[in-house]
Amino acid sequence: MKDLFSNQAATYARYRPTYPQELYEWLLERVPGRERALDSATGNGQAAAALADYFTEVEATDLSEGQLAQAVQRDNIHYRVSRSEETPFPDNHFDLMTMAQAFHWMDAPRYCAEMNRVGRPGAIVACWSYKFPLAADSVVNKVIRDFYDGVTGPYWEPERRHVDNDYAELAFDFDDIETARFESVLHWKREELLGYFASWSATQKYIRLNGHSPLVHVEGPLSEVLPADVPVEVRFPLFLKAGRVRK
């Protein structure tokens, strides 16, 4: 797994979109038990914190100490630095294993093998990612697309294509279950949009290669179409890949 988010851990924790409650409800209807959940590549612990409301114990791992330093704290969440493809947990340990916004960075066959090892028979493995956001205001949306395509486009890692095609090319060695699609609907002001852009891995790569932030190319155009104190509706389509542990 690549670590592309340590440098902007605080920005990531503050400005990344949340996941819809309907997603967690869909998962909870299908898990065989509520004793233990594992959230791999947990980042700032957003998914782990949601799972902590329903499971007795939640283990959450990430490669980045910087990300874990920003993580949401709950009494029943245990955070640790660990690769997702090689964990310290015993066999047949978890009822649910999740991964949000990260499966495209994984060694997919190794991750699947590890989840089949640590998951209990019939446990659910769920990996999801949101796709490119759509602003309700078409003029704002064009500014966002121009920045994405014209400025940061060349700086995205090749794994980004797996998000665009719903993880269709990645190994997912679990018993199939019917999945669903969801949507996160947010109302963001200009500052929050710019913060989200700053959290992109492509933004950080641009800074490393050019010595300055690409946000200078979008701040002006965005200020012309979106006043600072006016929120705009932003929709993040979210796709889910899920299956059952194969024993």
Side-chain angles (χ1 to χ4, degrees):
M1 176 185 175
K2 295 182 177 180
D3 179 8
L4 301 175
F5 301 99
S6 289
N7 290 339
Q8 71 269 35
T11 300
Y12 193 100
R14 181 175 178 183
Y15 292 110
R16 281 286 167 142
T18 55
Y19 308 119
Q21 180 62 28
E22 292 82 3
L23 167 65
Y24 298 112
E25 292 173 357
W26 187 95
L27 292 170
L28 292 166
E29 289 175 358
R30 289 159 177 81
V31 295
R34 302 283 180 88
E35 186 177 359
R36 297 190 193 93
L38 168 63
D39 186 46
S40 300
T42 195
N44 64 350
Q46 182 190 142
L51 296 175
D53 290 338
Y54 304 101
F55 288 84
T56 304
E57 299 175 16
V58 176
E59 295 282 355
T61 66
D62 202 281
L63 269 183
S64 170
E65 292 186 15
Q67 285 273 40
L68 294 180
Q70 302 291 328
V72 180
Q73 300 297 312
R74 297 284 189 275
D75 290 343
N76 59 336
I77 303 177
H78 180 221
Y79 293 102
R80 69 176 83 204
V81 176
S82 172
R83 299 186 66 86
S84 300
E85 304 95 334
E86 185 178 353
T87 71
F89 307 114
D91 296 353
N92 305 310
H93 198 60
F94 295 104
D95 302 296
L96 172 67
M97 292 85 78
T98 60
M99 179 174 284
Q101 296 300 123
F103 187 46
H104 47 292
W105 305 121
M106 298 293 127
D107 180 328
R110 288 186 61 205
Y111 170 76
C112 292
E114 182 67 354
M115 295 305 100
N116 275 316
R117 181 186 72 80
V118 301
R120 292 172 170 170
I124 294 290
V125 181
C127 301
W128 65 82
S129 182
Y130 44 74
K131 300 175 78 73
F132 197 78
L134 300 171
D137 186 311
S138 61
V139 179
V140 173
N141 203 58
K142 184 179 186 305
V143 171
I144 296 173
R145 289 298 317 192
D146 288 347
F147 177 63
Y148 177 77
D149 294 328
V151 179
T152 64
Y155 297 89
W156 288 98
E157 298 294 322
E159 290 89 345
R160 173 71 191 182
R161 76 181 190 279
H162 294 306
V163 175
D164 295 334
N165 67 15
D166 297 0
Y167 293 164
E169 298 175 6
L170 292 174
F172 202 70
D173 188 23
F174 307 103
D175 289 335
D176 291 339
I177 58 175
E178 184 179 353
T179 57
R181 288 181 175 269
F182 304 91
E183 189 174 56
S184 291
V185 182
L186 306 169
H187 293 87
W188 274 354
K189 295 181 180 178
R190 192 169 74 213
E191 176 197 359
E192 292 165 308
L193 276 170
L194 292 171
Y196 170 62
F197 301 156
S199 77
W200 289 355
S201 60
T203 297
Q204 299 304 309
K205 185 174 182 178
Y206 185 106
I207 293 171
R208 290 196 304 272
L209 295 178
N210 296 291
H212 65 275
S213 172
L215 266 65
V216 298
H217 299 293
V218 73
E219 289 170 334
L222 194 59
S223 68
E224 293 175 4
V225 299
L226 184 64
D229 59 346
V230 176
V232 64
E233 181 183 274
V234 183
R235 292 179 174 268
F236 286 83
L238 186 148
F239 69 91
L240 168 68
K241 193 145 187 164
R244 290 195 184 274
V245 163
R246 188 174 288 165
K247 294 289 187 183

